[in-house]
Amino acid sequence: MPEGWIHVPSYCIRFRALLVPDQSPVLLITGATGLVGSELLRRLLPAKQGRRIVVLSRQRVKVAELNLIGNVAVLEGDISRPYLGLDRDTYAGLKAGITEVIHCAADTRFGLSLECARAVNTEGTRNLLKLASECENLRKFAHLSTVYVAGRAIGYFREGPIRHQSGFCNTYQQSKYEAEQLVLRAMNELPVAIFRLSSIIGDSQTGTVRQFNCVHQLMKLFPRNVLPVAPGLPNAPVDLIATDWATEALAYLFESAFVPGRFYHVCGGPERSLTVREMIELMVSIFESHPVGRKWLPIRVPELVSLPRYEEFVKQRHLDGDKLFDELLRVLGYFIPHLAMFQAFDSRNLMEALVASGLEFPPVRGYFRKVVPYCLETNWRRPAA
């Protein structure tokens, strides 16, 4: 057996049946048990007559659940391992049968070591690109990324290659940046498009949050008055998008507006974003008017300072030897510096592509006013599965 292969039972009859050669598309999707991947899977299942879908997942329980769907076959694998952790026959079946790929899988935790973050986000992407390069009939490869591959760089970022040496706030950003560089190099040979998402905060209609992230943690911390100062540029845009809009946009782009070599920023752009000042004022207003939020009154908004001044504050507080406060500042350091950086993300490619879809960007104030109460009323807990 060649080096790197693992021995697992022969792939299931359903998987074999899905890959019977004909003219129907066969889509491979990674990360289909995550927030974006699961929503995309749900939207793509009925989208194209005859499409068959292969899901690669390392979550055994989820594999069993998804295998109950008629035109879906789920393989238990691992993108961070050679040959995706599959046996030789299964991998060969993928190479011969796959016509489309959506690569959603990622480890989004900010506090991982760089080695662990790279294992999934960078090397996992390398392994998917290797498979794609060997596919006999590949037509589309959608790579899901983040606008925050911009790291600590400041400026106005167009929908194209981003290269910089400004550093990153966390290992997630760095490993996704490195993954993008791999995808960029593959663009000359493969039909690849890159979809960069900004921060997803919840459903535009209900405010429901299926996955809490750094934005929600800032909402939770906000009324507790723990910081006298915070990094913040009052007029900097904070790009926040709704779960339902983002996944509908991604599904439409993949189905109807896919262009190899194209970049799309799945975001609001500065003209559809709240500024740091507006976001703070809106949060104060929501907390003051909400029965649960009012228990935190009075809210003392920290002084917004430049990033160098905030970093000096962190350095001085470290000298106090307060380990709990040090830990708080360490975790905040993974994302709060962005509030003091002017980062604006162009979304013209996206908005032009979506014109024919009729899908409109929902007003950010509307869903922000639903998400914050949802967080308050659930005490920042995930809904029951």
Side-chain angles (χ1 to χ4, degrees):
M1 182 175 294
E3 183 180 356
W5 291 110
I6 62 171
H7 178 69
V8 298
S10 182
Y11 53 99
C12 64
I13 295 174
R14 175 178 294 186
F15 176 64
R16 287 183 177 179
L18 284 181
L19 296 183
V20 172
D22 62 17
Q23 299 302 310
S24 301
V26 180
L27 167 66
L28 171 68
I29 181 168
T30 69
T33 56
L35 172 63
V36 175
S38 61
E39 288 293 316
L40 265 178
L41 176 61
R42 182 173 65 84
R43 286 175 164 82
L44 292 173
L45 278 171
K48 186 175 288 186
Q49 188 68 26
R51 168 184 277 148
R52 294 153 296 171
I53 299 177
V54 179
V55 170
L56 182 70
S57 176
R58 60 182 178 181
Q59 297 190 40
R60 184 166 296 180
V61 173
K62 295 291 186 180
V63 166
E65 293 174 359
L66 289 171
N67 256 328
L68 299 176
I69 302 172
N71 61 331
V72 175
V74 187
L75 300 175
E76 188 176 345
D78 186 341
I79 63 168
S80 68
R81 300 185 65 174
Y83 309 106
L84 312 180
L86 301 171
D87 66 276
R88 170 188 264 172
D89 288 342
T90 305
Y91 192 81
L94 288 177
K95 290 195 299 182
I98 294 301
T99 61
E100 305 170 333
V101 176
I102 300 180
H103 178 32
C104 300
D107 196 323
T108 60
R109 291 175 293 176
F110 288 176
L112 291 175
S113 68
L114 185 56
E115 179 183 11
C116 290
R118 280 173 170 162
V120 175
N121 299 337
T122 310
E123 295 308 310
T125 299
R126 190 192 305 275
N127 292 336
L128 259 294
L129 290 170
K130 180 179 184 299
L131 170 68
S133 70
E134 297 171 351
C135 284
E136 299 170 13
N137 300 294
L138 188 68
R139 304 167 196 164
K140 299 179 183 180
F141 187 115
H143 174 72
L144 268 63
S145 188
T146 170
V147 294
Y148 296 106
V149 294
R152 295 171 71 98
I154 60 174
Y156 189 85
F157 299 92
R158 300 193 181 279
E159 292 164 294
I162 293 178
R163 294 186 177 91
H164 65 89
Q165 295 181 329
S166 300
F168 304 90
C169 292
N170 53 67
T171 57
Y172 169 70
Q173 293 176 354
Q174 182 170 347
S175 59
K176 291 295 284 184
Y177 174 88
E178 292 171 357
E180 267 205 22
Q181 303 313 302
L182 297 176
V183 177
L184 282 168
R185 289 197 287 271
M187 273 186 168
N188 291 331
E189 306 295 331
L190 297 174
V192 180
I194 293 178
F195 302 86
R196 297 186 183 122
L197 285 84
S198 63
S199 298
I200 295 177
I201 65 166
D203 186 86
S204 68
Q205 301 300 313
T206 65
T208 301
V209 179
R210 284 188 50 211
Q211 182 174 299
F212 292 97
N213 58 34
C214 60
V215 177
H216 305 100
Q217 298 311 315
L218 281 177
M219 293 175 183
K220 187 175 185 179
L221 181 67
F222 177 71
R224 286 166 168 76
N225 304 317
V226 296
L227 294 177
V229 299
L233 191 61
N235 293 322
V238 183
D239 205 303
L240 307 172
I241 56 177
T243 313
D244 49 328
W245 174 84
T247 51
E248 285 179 26
L250 286 169
Y252 179 81
L253 290 172
F254 185 76
E255 291 288 66
S256 305
F258 188 93
V259 179
R262 186 68 61 87
F263 294 75
Y264 297 96
H265 284 167
V266 184
C267 68
E271 64 276 17
R272 300 177 189 85
S273 297
L274 296 169
T275 65
V276 170
R277 179 187 289 113
E278 288 171 338
M279 184 176 70
I280 290 173
E281 291 173 349
L282 190 52
M283 277 202 289
V284 170
S285 171
I286 295 169
F287 274 90
E288 287 178 342
S289 62
H290 195 280
V292 179
R294 281 198 292 267
K295 74 177 183 179
W296 297 103
L297 300 181
I299 295 173
R300 295 189 297 274
V301 177
E303 179 188 359
L304 297 181
V305 299
S306 68
L307 189 53
R309 184 175 165 190
Y310 176 74
E311 289 172 339
E312 182 60 31
F313 162 77
V314 172
K315 187 183 301 183
Q316 291 300 317
R317 285 303 306 259
H318 180 67
L319 297 176
D320 295 343
D322 185 334
K323 292 184 179 180
L324 285 176
F325 199 72
D326 276 355
E327 177 63 12
L328 172 64
L329 293 175
R330 182 187 69 82
V331 173
L332 286 175
Y334 293 142
F335 53 87
I336 201 173
H338 281 284
L339 297 179
M341 303 174 191
F342 186 90
Q343 293 181 322
F345 303 101
D346 179 28
S347 59
R348 279 175 290 184
N349 281 353
L350 172 81
M351 296 304 173
E352 289 174 6
L354 291 181
V355 168
S357 73
L359 180 64
E360 296 184 359
F361 190 88
V364 62
R365 285 179 176 272
Y367 54 85
F368 195 88
R369 286 187 178 278
K370 294 173 183 175
V371 169
V372 178
Y374 177 88
C375 292
L376 285 167
E377 290 158 15
T378 61
N379 195 24
W380 282 265
R381 293 191 181 96
R382 293 182 181 181

